[in-house]
């Protein structure tokens, strides 16, 4: 905990004073432009890789960047989506998967989930990834198979995202765009899912 307390002291001393006006504005309201749905993985730091800051990204995180569609009971992800789309009226939703995702590894080897009843049930939503596997990419080396499934999971969850009532409505009203991304931890690069070709292409061409 010491490290966090030290970090917070540094924030109060060095960061906050420089952004006082911005925080003053943000204290009353928010108008984020993006709902960012990603994995809980500690290596994904959205503000760092996208150059964003306070007030920019409305974020939903869960293992495997899942968007459940078949659960009857309420869950945090879909409630967050509904709020972002219907109340905050974000114009963009980005669903971002990443390389070396433990959730997808677990989906490949379900025995490891035997003692994790909640994670096991949650990751059933990842099963759909298998039917959306992407072509193997030689750049992914020994992890090509895992990476193709991770990209497939982005496509699967994107489909689930579009099926959310609030999202479907906003898409119909043409006030929302949805995007599927894959973030490679090793290179730092992001790929986007191209809806026309159904393939992932570099975000920066
Ligand atoms: Zn992950």
């Amino acid at each position: 905990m010491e490290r966090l307390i030290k970090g917070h002291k540094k924030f109060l001393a060095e960061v906050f004073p420089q952004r006082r006006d911005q925080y003053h504005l943000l204290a009353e309201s928010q108008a984020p432009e993006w709902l960012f749905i990603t994995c809980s993985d500690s290596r994904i730091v959205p503000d760092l890789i996208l150059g964003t800051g306070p007030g920019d990204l409305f974020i939903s995180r869960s293992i495997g960047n899942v968007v459940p569609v078949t659960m009857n009971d309420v869950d945090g992800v879909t409630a967050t989506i509904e709020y972002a789309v219907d109340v905050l009226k974000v114009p963009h939703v980005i669903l971002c998967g990443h390389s070396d995702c433990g959730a997808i590894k677990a989906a490949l080897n379900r025995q490891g989930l035997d003692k994790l009843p909640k994670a096991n049930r949650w990751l059933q939503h990842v099963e759909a990834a298998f039917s959306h596997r992407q072509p193997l990419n030689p750049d992914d080396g020994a992890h090509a198979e895992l990476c193709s499934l991770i990209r497939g999971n982005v496509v699967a969850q994107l489909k689930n995202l579009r099926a959310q009532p609030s999202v479907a409505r906003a898409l119909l009203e043409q006030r929302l765009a949805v995007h599927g991304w894959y973030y490679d931890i090793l290179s730092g690069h992001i790929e986007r899912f191209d809806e026309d070709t159904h393939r992932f292409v570099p975000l920066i061409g």
Side-chain angles (χ1 to χ4, degrees):
M1 290 306 289
E2 275 307 309
R3 186 172 154 202
L4 299 189
I5 290 162
K6 210 171 141 191
H8 184 54
K9 276 183 187 163
K10 196 173 158 145
F11 167 76
L12 290 176
E14 296 172 21
V15 181
F16 189 85
Q18 287 179 7
R19 293 180 167 230
R20 198 179 297 274
D21 291 347
Q22 188 191 8
Y23 282 110
H24 189 79
L25 284 173
L26 288 171
E28 302 294 332
S29 67
Q30 63 168 337
E33 201 171 323
W34 305 276
L35 165 61
F36 197 76
I37 301 169
T38 193
C39 186
S40 302
D41 194 298
S42 62
R43 298 165 293 179
I44 317 303
V45 186
D47 284 338
L48 191 64
I49 62 176
L50 298 170
T52 44
D56 288 334
L57 301 174
F58 198 69
I59 300 181
S60 172
R61 305 188 74 146
S62 70
I63 52 168
N65 37 268
V66 160
V67 177
V69 280
T70 53
M71 275 185 174
N72 291 323
D73 42 16
V74 73
D75 68 88
V77 177
T78 53
T80 302
I81 292 169
E82 189 180 74
Y83 185 79
V85 174
D86 282 351
V87 179
L88 297 174
K89 301 208 182 297
V90 293
H92 297 276
V93 183
I94 298 159
L95 192 139
C96 185
H98 67 97
S99 60
D100 197 51
C101 184
I104 312 299
K105 283 181 181 171
L108 278 168
N109 179 20
R110 295 205 74 90
Q111 289 100 311
L113 291 169
D114 285 351
K115 292 196 170 74
L116 306 171
K118 290 190 187 290
N120 196 355
R121 189 168 164 220
W122 184 251
L123 291 176
Q124 282 170 9
H125 297 294
V126 165
E127 294 291 323
F130 286 93
S131 45
H132 294 282
R133 272 176 195 266
Q134 293 295 297
L136 298 178
N137 181 345
D139 292 344
D140 295 327
H143 306 294
E145 198 174 330
L146 173 65
C147 294
S148 89
L149 191 62
I150 293 170
R151 290 186 183 89
N153 184 50
V154 171
V155 179
Q157 303 309 325
L158 210 52
K159 197 171 164 224
N160 293 355
L161 176 66
R162 289 177 184 279
Q164 295 299 311
S166 56
V167 173
R169 215 165 28 239
L171 287 170
L172 202 67
E173 292 167 5
Q174 297 186 316
R175 61 178 169 88
L176 183 71
V178 297
H179 315 266
W181 285 3
Y182 170 85
Y183 169 63
D184 184 69
I185 296 169
L186 182 64
S187 71
H189 284 270
I190 293 171
E191 297 171 10
R192 66 174 179 84
F193 181 63
D194 186 285
E195 297 282 354
D196 296 328
T197 59
H198 279 253
R199 292 287 175 263
F200 281 81
V201 295
L203 180 65
I204 301 170

